[in-house]
Amino acid sequence: MNAVLECHDITNQLKALLDGEGERDSKIESIENLLNQRELLLSSITPPYSLEEQRLGKEIVLWNKQIDQKLAGLKIDIKRDMNGVSKTKTTVQRYTNPYESMQTDGMFYDKRN
């Protein structure tokens, strides 16, 4: 199979995977596998290109823009979840030991004996 056509198919699978719903961890693993496969194919694509390969290349570039936006959104969702976990962790720690983080600014020492 032609390398450009294979790259087009993998990019199409990647786009469909990002458009679909599912468990995020398995989705991320599949995305990594597809990106690695596509990276290997990109090195084997060399000019001159036929008209069909040029058309497929333009479609790949268009899809890449959409894929980049969706990956950026996925990254933002992961960051939001990580921040939520750290906030929850801090809240639980404050609840279990409320006097741990007390400030001692206003202490008064009486030096008279």
Side-chain angles (χ1 to χ4, degrees):
M1 190 187 263
N2 189 359
V4 175
L5 187 57
E6 285 184 50
C7 185
H8 183 268
D9 289 341
I10 290 174
T11 305
N12 191 16
Q13 291 174 12
L14 189 60
K15 183 178 174 287
L17 183 64
L18 285 168
D19 286 338
E21 295 293 323
E23 184 184 334
R24 188 168 63 188
D25 291 338
S26 63
K27 190 185 230 184
I28 290 172
E29 188 174 324
S30 299
I31 289 170
E32 285 180 17
N33 289 335
L34 288 173
L35 287 174
N36 289 335
Q37 290 175 11
R38 194 172 74 158
E39 183 180 356
L40 293 174
L41 282 175
L42 287 176
S43 63
S44 65
I45 296 175
T46 56
Y49 305 115
S50 68
L51 292 176
E52 180 67 17
E53 289 175 340
Q54 289 178 3
R55 184 188 66 78
L56 292 175
K58 288 179 183 178
E59 198 169 23
I60 289 171
V61 169
L62 179 68
W63 286 346
N64 274 339
K65 291 178 184 177
Q66 296 171 1
I67 289 170
D68 286 342
Q69 289 175 351
K70 291 179 183 177
L71 286 175
L74 185 62
K75 180 180 175 183
I76 289 170
D77 289 343
I78 292 170
K79 278 186 176 182
R80 187 179 309 126
D81 288 349
M82 288 175 64
N83 286 338
V85 167
S86 66
K87 283 182 183 179
T88 303
K89 190 176 181 182
T90 305
T91 304
V92 167
Q93 186 178 8
R94 284 185 185 163
Y95 181 76
T96 55
N97 192 0
Y99 301 109
E100 181 179 338
S101 63
M102 284 186 58
Q103 296 179 355
T104 56
D105 289 355
M107 291 188 105
F108 176 75
Y109 293 106
D110 187 12
K111 293 188 178 188
R112 288 184 280 164
N113 288 336

